[in-house]
Amino acid sequence: MGKLIEKLQQIGQGSSGSLGFTPRRDNGIKARPAAVLVTLRATDVGMAEAAAKAGVDAIIIAGWKPSANITTIKAAIESERTLWGVQYNGAGDDEPVKAASEAGAGFILLGEDAAVGALFDGAEQIDRIVTISAPQSEMDLLTLRVINALPAQAALVTLPAGVADLPALPVPAFAQLAVIAETLRFPLLASVDDAPDMRASRALVRLGVDGVVLSGVGVKEDMLVSQVRAVRADLEKIPPRSQREGISLSGLMGVMGATPAKPEPAPTPEIEPGEV
């Protein structure tokens, strides 16, 4: 298990405890149904430190390459003991997973143009996030199911609708988005166009989102701090979504794709000699 997946599990559990017979201790941390992440550039050092102090769960360094110098922002993030990872969009010939792992990243986000070979590199202690699109057709749904076979630990989707518009979506349109989390076998992160309010946060949780990714690029520091704190506080007020709440989509699709079994014919009764 990598650091990102471990972090998501800790967030869902809230107050820390230990396995076995040790009593669970309440450290005042409330459980949340989703994490709060922020995307920043390597030059946004002050923003990274401010977001970490505001309680962000993880920071994604955008535009990263193995040759990039991230020493300063890495030090700022790690001084607050905050999880961080990198976003990679390259061709994979520079061994991005190995370089990210050696740099200390807890995860690597593969952008839409990143080479798939990064999924198959040998480093096992770093989580890999694949970027996906919201399904628009039956072929998209099939592709989404096949993605489950890839050696990824999480997925990131950019919502096709503005986050403020989620609560106003018609039921079929909302259900089409909910298909994503119901289909994937691993956690789903959602990149949003703005900080969600309480109604939008509830909608995101109902979609099955495990992490809300805010963009800190071009945002003022005080605004980003306010957004992180507000979204985190709202999520603490929302009950967690049960792990397999509702209908299991994989089971449903399996049933839909199966050919109904023909009924067995009734046995022909044996006729004794002398009977009509």
Side-chain angles (χ1 to χ4, degrees):
M1 181 191 303
K3 294 180 180 179
L4 177 63
I5 302 305
E6 183 179 4
K7 183 70 174 180
L8 294 177
Q9 290 183 353
Q10 290 174 351
I11 289 169
Q13 294 171 357
S15 298
S16 65
S18 57
L19 298 176
F21 300 98
T22 304
R24 184 179 180 86
R25 295 177 306 218
D26 188 347
N27 60 8
I29 299 177
K30 297 181 180 179
R32 285 175 282 133
V36 181
L37 299 87
V38 168
T39 300
L40 293 169
R41 298 165 299 198
T43 54
D44 296 326
V45 178
M47 298 273 287
E49 187 174 6
K53 290 181 178 179
V56 75
D57 296 303
I59 292 175
I60 304 169
I61 301 176
W64 174 85
K65 297 179 181 180
S67 59
N69 184 357
I70 59 172
T71 303
T72 306
I73 189 171
K74 172 185 172 181
I77 298 172
E78 292 183 345
S79 66
E80 299 297 326
R81 298 184 179 181
T82 300
L83 177 64
W84 64 278
V86 295
Q87 181 182 22
Y88 176 78
N89 294 297
D93 51 2
D94 45 7
E95 298 186 276
V97 176
K98 178 181 178 182
S101 180
E102 291 177 350
F107 58 91
I108 181 170
L109 167 61
L110 303 178
E112 293 181 351
D113 298 325
V116 71
L119 289 176
F120 312 123
D121 289 347
E124 298 180 356
Q125 298 304 316
I126 182 169
D127 289 324
R128 298 156 228 244
I129 309 171
V130 292
T131 300
I132 62 175
S133 300
Q136 302 292 327
S137 65
E138 291 185 7
M139 181 56 69
D140 291 343
L141 288 173
L142 179 59
T143 301
L144 192 62
R145 296 189 69 189
V146 173
I147 286 175
N148 278 325
L150 297 177
Q153 285 72 51
L156 171 72
V157 63
T158 299
L159 298 179
V163 69
D165 299 326
L166 282 179
L169 285 177
V171 171
F174 188 87
Q176 188 173 12
L177 292 178
V179 164
I180 303 172
E182 290 291 346
T183 303
L184 294 176
R185 63 174 173 81
F186 37 66
L188 176 66
L189 311 179
S191 178
V192 295
D193 61 340
D194 198 2
D197 59 11
M198 174 60 86
R199 293 184 72 237
S201 293
R202 287 198 189 101
L204 287 168
V205 171
R206 299 306 303 178
L207 284 177
V209 169
D210 300 287
V212 180
V213 182
L214 307 174
S215 176
V217 178
V219 179
K220 293 183 178 180
E221 182 176 311
D222 57 346
M223 176 64 72
L224 181 61
V225 168
S226 176
Q227 290 178 347
V228 169
R229 289 175 176 169
V231 175
R232 176 169 175 147
D234 285 345
L235 289 171
E236 288 179 349
K237 300 172 186 175
I238 301 173
R241 185 176 182 273
S242 60
Q243 186 176 6
R244 296 305 299 168
E245 191 175 39
I247 298 174
S248 169
L249 187 68
S250 59
L252 176 61
M253 295 185 75
V255 172
M256 290 173 63
T259 302
K262 294 182 180 180
E264 294 289 337
T268 303
E270 296 183 1
I271 301 176
E272 298 291 337
E275 291 184 349
V276 179

